[in-house]
Amino acid sequence: MLLSRRRSRSRTEARSRTEARSRTEARSRTEARSGSRSRSWSWQRWRRWRRSRPFWGGLLTLLSGAWICVLPLAPLKIMLQQGVAGIPSVLMGAVLIVLGLTGWFAPPQRVLAGILTTLIATAALVLSNLGGFLIGTLLGILGGGLMFAWQPYADRRAGNRTTENRTAGGSASPPADGEPRTPTPTPTPHHDPQGAQP
């Protein structure tokens, strides 16, 4: 009798252990799933943010501004200009940093920011230690060009659809991304009194 009680206790303890293990495994699986979902969600959010603005142009402009701004703080042996003449370097670097941030956080102003970035980076070649020993100037010109040339992704897709419709000669194209199909008007033939063929 005593032996059977011990066996039943050991069986119940073994069951409780296996149930606890299965619960912890289930929790760890759900936590892993939710962690991977949150990581993928944050990665998608980051990609969406990066693609909705001139990210690389702004980054190169920020690097250019930082390089031009920090260079006057270098030791005297490295510097070409020192003292009051180093103030334009700091100011131009700060303005380039602001323009890079403008490209990131105010994408509609990207054209103006790109033009000003290119002009200031070119002026830094003369006013600021050869534009950060040419590195700052080259980064600024490249960043300004990228900011100026960047176009929103949605506008490019819409532009591609309209050009496809125009080149198709008015024929209806299959809808993309589940959009409703709208027929495009076909040109009506008209009679030319001078006999020219359309």
Side-chain angles (χ1 to χ4, degrees):
M1 186 102 171
L2 186 61
L3 189 60
S4 65
R5 287 182 185 170
R6 285 183 184 168
R7 286 181 185 166
S8 64
R9 269 191 217 155
S10 64
R11 287 178 188 164
T12 55
E13 289 175 359
R15 286 180 192 163
S16 63
R17 287 181 199 149
T18 56
E19 288 174 2
R21 278 187 211 145
S22 64
R23 286 180 197 150
T24 56
E25 287 174 2
R27 279 187 204 146
S28 64
R29 284 184 206 138
T30 56
E31 287 173 2
R33 287 178 190 155
S34 64
S36 65
R37 286 179 190 158
S38 65
R39 274 181 270 157
S40 67
W41 180 78
S42 61
W43 180 251
Q44 289 174 354
R45 190 174 174 193
W46 161 251
R47 286 181 65 195
R48 213 175 311 126
W49 183 85
R50 183 176 52 95
R51 289 181 178 181
S52 65
R53 60 203 72 244
F55 178 76
W56 297 111
L59 181 66
L60 290 177
T61 303
L62 283 171
L63 291 175
S64 168
W67 183 259
I68 291 173
C69 194
V70 169
L71 200 60
L73 305 175
L76 186 59
K77 294 177 183 178
I78 298 174
M79 293 290 297
L80 297 177
Q81 298 176 3
Q82 186 66 17
V84 179
I87 291 175
S89 300
V90 176
L91 289 176
M92 283 190 278
V95 169
L96 285 173
I97 289 172
V98 168
L99 289 171
L101 293 174
T102 300
W104 276 359
F105 297 109
Q109 305 302 323
R110 69 189 179 278
V111 174
L112 179 64
I115 292 171
L116 288 177
T117 298
T118 305
L119 291 175
I120 291 172
T122 306
L125 187 63
V126 176
L127 298 173
S128 172
N129 296 308
L130 293 175
F133 299 122
L134 294 177
I135 295 172
T137 296
L138 292 176
L139 287 175
I141 290 172
L142 187 61
L146 287 174
M147 274 198 291
F148 182 79
W150 182 83
Q151 293 293 321
Y153 182 70
D155 289 348
R156 284 188 298 207
R157 286 183 58 196
N160 288 342
R161 285 186 196 144
T162 56
T163 54
E164 286 174 3
N165 287 342
R166 286 182 194 150
T167 56
S171 62
S173 61
D177 300 333
E179 294 178 357
R181 187 176 202 153
T182 57
T184 55
T186 57
T188 57
H190 65 281
H191 176 68
D192 189 7
Q194 297 175 347
Q197 295 294 325

